[in-house]
Amino acid sequence: MCILFVYVDDGSMAGRYRVVLASNRDEFYARPAKTAAPWEENRHIIGGRDMEPGREGGTWLAIGNHPAGCIKLGALLNVTGENKVNVTNGRGPIVANFLAGELTSRQYSETLLAQDNFGAFNFVSIELDATTGQNKLVDCSEGGPNRARGTILHTSNAPHSIEQCKAGEALGFGNSTLQKPLQKVCRGREQFAEIVARRNVPFADKDAFVGDLMELLKSDVRHFPDPELTRRAGQHAEFLSSINVRMPNGSYGSRTRTVILIDHQNHVEFIEETLNGTDPNTGEWNRSRIERQFS
């Protein structure tokens, strides 16, 4: 399981950042992965990489600056408890192909669903114009001065849907449908909204902002009972009901915490904390920070 919180400025209020993102990646601790870094084959993309044999190169969260003048961000979450037929492809390339390709988010999402042979997924995509410095969303691939406003999209194959999400408000995504969000997504979104309202102001204390977002991602509070989570995860539901997941057998849980900030000059900061080892209670958490100017 994973969880994702996103805020994209709609220009209605003065704020220091046009995008604020906080996310936990939940995975088996022993599954090999690379921490976030610019990709060797495409330095315009920053993100972690799955290195499980046979699935090398996939990613769960990444940001890129392709094509020129466009900022694209993609995040992938599984949909728990959904059995798909005719699954022949892993989900790892979904984000990577979006960032490296030329299609708009809607074109890409329509192609994904038309050729659906993946396990159940939720795919969140964002496109921003990096040439204007304005607080607006655009369809980055259209070109020309009359480019249509783009969207924040939530795309799922369980069931098939492409939903446009609103800018200017806190958004939360998890391992269920948009129509039936998990309780930890609802409660976490409320806390995320409060942090953004309090911290995303001109001349904000950036370190305090990042600290508050990381503390949200570390929350062990269990939002249980949760009928939707119980329906999807059965006997494991209670252990999965917190934003920060730690299963009792010690082999699975939240192993990567990520915060991304993009200001109005398109300066990107990618801050990540990754568990080094297989025990979240005794293992060391390594922090990395990548900064990049997109244009």
Side-chain angles (χ1 to χ4, degrees):
M1 304 191 82
C2 299
I3 198 164
L4 172 70
F5 303 107
V6 176
Y7 171 83
V8 178
D9 181 24
D10 65 354
S12 63
M13 297 179 63
R16 180 171 178 177
Y17 299 102
R18 65 190 302 204
V19 175
V20 180
L21 178 148
S23 176
N24 271 348
R25 182 199 184 203
D26 301 341
E27 187 52 86
F28 289 101
Y29 299 128
R31 183 168 179 169
K34 288 183 178 180
T35 57
W39 291 3
E40 293 180 2
E41 73 274 24
N42 191 331
R43 306 295 290 183
H44 295 287
I45 300 176
I46 299 169
R49 309 298 291 271
D50 186 8
M51 296 306 295
E52 183 178 28
R55 299 186 179 184
E56 298 92 342
T59 188
W60 55 95
L61 172 65
I63 186 170
N65 190 197
H66 176 83
C70 181
I71 299 172
K72 296 165 75 173
L73 190 151
L76 184 71
L77 305 94
N78 297 345
V79 183
T80 302
E82 296 287 344
N83 294 319
K84 296 282 291 180
V85 298
N86 300 322
V87 175
T88 58
N89 277 349
R91 289 165 288 205
I94 289 176
V95 171
N97 290 342
F98 168 61
L99 295 181
E102 303 292 334
L103 298 179
T104 69
S105 57
R106 183 166 292 277
Q107 290 169 339
Y108 183 75
S109 293
E110 290 172 348
T111 300
L112 272 183
L113 297 186
Q115 303 173 354
D116 179 21
N117 53 7
F118 302 97
F121 68 78
N122 288 328
F123 170 56
V124 178
S125 58
I126 299 171
E127 290 177 298
L128 296 171
D129 187 351
T131 64
T132 65
Q134 301 296 316
N135 306 335
K136 69 176 183 177
L137 300 174
V138 299
D139 186 334
C140 293
S141 73
E142 292 299 321
N146 297 316
R147 287 184 292 187
R149 283 181 175 268
T151 57
I152 310 162
L153 292 184
H154 174 279
T155 302
S156 182
N157 67 345
H160 279 205
S161 64
I162 302 175
E163 302 283 345
Q164 179 175 332
C165 304
K166 289 183 63 176
E169 62 181 45
L171 304 172
F173 307 95
N175 303 101
S176 64
T177 65
L178 283 182
Q179 292 71 29
K180 293 184 178 180
L182 304 181
Q183 287 299 306
K184 68 177 184 179
V185 174
C186 297
R187 303 289 80 78
R189 181 175 58 216
E190 293 170 357
Q191 297 173 63
F192 177 72
E194 187 277 328
I195 294 170
V196 170
R198 177 164 46 87
R199 294 293 192 186
N200 189 29
V201 295
F203 312 108
D205 184 331
K206 178 177 61 180
D207 291 338
F209 196 1
V210 172
D212 285 353
L213 294 171
M214 285 293 184
E215 286 303 311
L216 170 63
L217 296 176
K218 296 175 186 178
S219 176
D220 291 321
V221 176
R222 292 181 180 176
H223 302 283
F224 200 79
D226 182 342
E228 181 65 12
L229 182 56
T230 299
R231 184 181 74 82
R232 291 182 175 277
Q235 63 181 341
H236 303 297
E238 184 172 358
F239 300 109
L240 297 170
S241 67
S242 54
I243 292 173
N244 180 50
V245 171
R246 286 187 289 184
M247 295 294 287
N249 63 11
S251 64
Y252 178 92
S254 300
R255 57 176 283 183
T256 304
R257 302 187 281 258
T258 305
V259 170
I260 297 176
L261 301 174
I262 306 175
D263 69 15
H264 293 285
Q265 287 71 48
N266 301 318
H267 182 79
V268 177
E269 295 195 51
F270 194 121
I271 304 104
E272 186 174 271
E273 294 182 350
T274 302
L275 177 65
N276 182 15
T278 58
D279 187 341
N281 296 312
T282 61
E284 179 181 357
W285 286 84
N286 297 330
R287 173 176 281 209
S288 61
R289 182 188 296 261
I290 302 168
E291 299 189 39
R292 181 68 61 84
Q293 183 66 43
F294 282 167
S295 60

